């Protein structure tokens, strides 16, 4: 119960932050709202979110500004004021630090990249010493087209009448890893083609492979440029299904985006271990604005 009360208090603070991004917000005021001391609040917030309070507020403000640059014709100075910055100079400096380009360049490029969305509470599990956090933050990214070399198989996903992905996908990765054992600095990526195929009506085509040199006997798939919601997944591979399920049933309906058919991506750390609670990967799900 104490754990739940802590998270409820953080949720109330998050709601206040989300509703007042265009107003001055300071840690002392947030701590008073949470009924913790300034030091206690910062510690609990960091444990539950993996972020500092200042970092979270800054990233949300800049993400809101980036969205306004793409979706409106407002002047840069007006965008800065609307997102809580006291000058265009401070706004431009902070924007470049986060997005590695100027606000003008971002607008001209016309792609959503690096956008942070508000944190959402998604688990009742007690906080532990691993990387799992009580709150999840979805990122919005526009991914350039990519070419993957590897192997593929037809699988039945978690929503089919007879799921078999938990058996077929690991076998496919084992075959690919044997072929690519000598490759250094491998970047493993899984690709799920969700387009309907009349010859495989209840199946999806799953690709396992690495970005880089093509090996003998491998095939290739080209994935076109697409906008994605990036779902962080901490822990064992079994956490992927839970995280994607939460995204589809909880986050997506309340967002400003639709899920679309296309190519879903699984991006793994180089040393990803599917059986480790310390592992991290990202699930990229194609979306489009409502």
């Amino acid at each position: 119960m104490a754990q739940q009360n802590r998270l409820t208090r953080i949720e109330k603070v998050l709601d206040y932050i989300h509703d007042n991004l265009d107003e001055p917000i300071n840690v002392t005021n947030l701590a008073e709202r949470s009924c913790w001391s300034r030091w206690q609040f910062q510690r609990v917030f960091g444990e539950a979110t993996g972020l500092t309070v200042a970092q979270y507020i800054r990233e949300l403000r800049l993400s809101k500004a980036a969205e306004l640059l793409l979706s409106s014709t407002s002047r840069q100075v007006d965008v800065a004021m609307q997102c809580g910055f006291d000058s265009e100079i401070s706004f431009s400096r902070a924007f470049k630090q986060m997005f590695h380009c100027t606000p003008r360049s971002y607008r001209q490029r016309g792609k959503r990249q690096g956008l942070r969305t508000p944190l959402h509470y998604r688990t009742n599990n007690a906080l532990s010493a691993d990387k799992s956090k009580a709150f999840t933050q979805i990122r919005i990214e526009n991914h350039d087209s990519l070419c993957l070399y590897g192997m593929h198989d037809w699988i039945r996903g978690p929503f089919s009448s007879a799921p078999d992905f938990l058996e077929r996908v690991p076998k496919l990765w084992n075959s690919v890893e044997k072929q690519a054992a000598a490759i250094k600095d491998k970047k493993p990526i899984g690709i799920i083609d969700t387009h309907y195929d009349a010859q495989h009506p209840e199946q999806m085509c799953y690709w396992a492979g690495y970005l880089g040199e093509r090996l003998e006997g491998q095939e290739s798939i080209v994935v076109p440029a697409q906008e994605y919601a990036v779902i962080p997944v901490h822990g064992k591979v079994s956490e992927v299904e839970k995280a994607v399920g939460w995204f589809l049933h909880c986050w997506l309906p309340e967002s400003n985006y639709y899920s679309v058919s296309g190519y879903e991506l699984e991006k793994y750390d180089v040393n990803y271990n599917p059986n480790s609670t310390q592992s991290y990967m990202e699930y990229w799900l194609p979306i489009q604005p409502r």
Side-chain angles (χ1 to χ4, degrees):
M1 183 63 69
Q3 173 72 10
Q4 183 60 48
N5 288 339
R6 285 206 308 166
L7 299 179
T8 300
R9 287 156 72 179
I10 293 176
E11 285 184 281
K12 291 180 179 179
V13 172
L14 290 174
D15 287 340
Y16 177 82
I17 292 173
H18 303 159
D19 292 338
N20 294 275
L21 284 176
D22 57 342
E23 301 292 337
I25 302 175
N26 61 71
V27 176
T28 300
N29 178 258
L30 294 178
E32 291 175 354
R33 289 179 175 275
S34 72
C35 299
W36 280 304
S37 70
R38 179 188 176 104
W39 178 83
Q40 290 172 328
F41 169 65
Q42 289 178 299
R43 178 177 178 178
V44 172
F45 188 93
E47 288 177 344
T49 68
L51 301 166
T52 66
V53 180
Q55 175 189 0
Y56 181 61
I57 295 172
R58 182 174 63 254
E59 290 183 350
L60 280 191
R61 283 175 168 167
L62 290 168
S63 295
K64 179 181 178 180
E67 181 63 48
L68 288 173
L69 289 171
L70 298 181
S71 61
S72 75
T73 57
S74 299
R75 296 181 306 164
Q76 185 172 309
V77 63
D78 294 330
V79 170
M81 297 298 114
Q82 189 173 343
C83 295
F85 290 88
D86 56 10
S87 73
E88 186 175 3
I89 293 176
S90 62
F91 166 64
S92 296
R93 184 185 304 116
F95 192 96
K96 192 170 183 178
Q97 287 177 344
M98 179 170 171
F99 295 106
H100 308 294
C101 68
T102 65
R104 180 181 179 183
S105 296
Y106 195 96
R107 171 173 268 170
Q108 290 176 336
R109 191 167 55 196
K111 297 180 180 180
R112 291 178 181 83
Q113 291 182 315
L115 298 190
R116 270 61 167 183
T117 65
L119 285 161
H120 277 66
Y121 176 65
R122 64 162 290 243
T123 178
N124 290 318
N125 295 333
L127 295 179
S128 58
D130 64 18
K131 295 182 179 179
S132 298
K133 300 299 176 184
F135 294 85
T136 296
Q137 185 176 46
I138 301 299
R139 202 169 76 245
I140 307 300
E141 298 280 3
N142 196 298
H143 201 298
D144 292 336
S145 62
L146 64 89
C147 179
L148 183 77
Y149 299 107
M151 303 172 67
H152 72 276
D153 191 9
W154 290 93
I155 66 169
R156 296 178 185 273
F159 304 113
S160 70
S161 58
D164 63 5
F165 66 101
L166 290 177
E167 296 79 31
R168 301 186 74 88
V169 170
K171 289 181 180 179
L172 187 61
W173 271 109
N174 286 336
S175 298
V176 171
E177 289 172 354
K178 289 179 181 178
Q179 281 190 329
I183 296 180
K184 296 181 178 180
D185 300 323
K186 293 179 291 188
K187 296 180 180 180
I189 295 182
I191 296 176
I192 304 96
D193 184 351
T194 64
H195 294 98
Y196 177 77
D197 188 295
Q199 295 182 337
H200 303 272
E202 289 192 16
Q203 294 178 297
M204 300 179 292
C205 188
Y206 184 96
W207 285 78
Y210 303 95
L211 295 177
E213 184 179 354
R214 184 173 189 169
L215 300 177
E216 183 178 352
Q218 286 189 332
E219 300 174 285
S220 65
I221 180 174
V222 176
V223 177
Q226 171 67 51
E227 191 163 275
Y228 290 90
V230 182
I231 308 166
V233 183
H234 299 275
K236 297 181 179 181
V237 69
S238 58
E239 294 299 318
V240 176
E241 185 178 352
K242 298 176 186 177
V244 174
W246 166 82
F247 174 86
L248 294 175
H249 295 293
C250 300
W251 189 91
L252 192 62
E254 298 180 2
S255 74
N256 295 319
Y257 297 93
Y258 291 114
S259 174
V260 297
S261 295
Y263 299 93
E264 300 177 6
L265 309 179
E266 297 175 338
K267 290 195 171 187
Y268 300 93
D269 280 350
V270 175
N271 298 316
Y272 181 81
N273 180 349
N275 299 313
S276 172
T277 58
Q278 303 300 315
S279 291
Y280 177 76
M281 61 86 69
E282 294 180 342
Y283 197 96
W284 293 50
L285 197 143
I287 56 169
Q288 68 179 24
R290 291 181 185 270

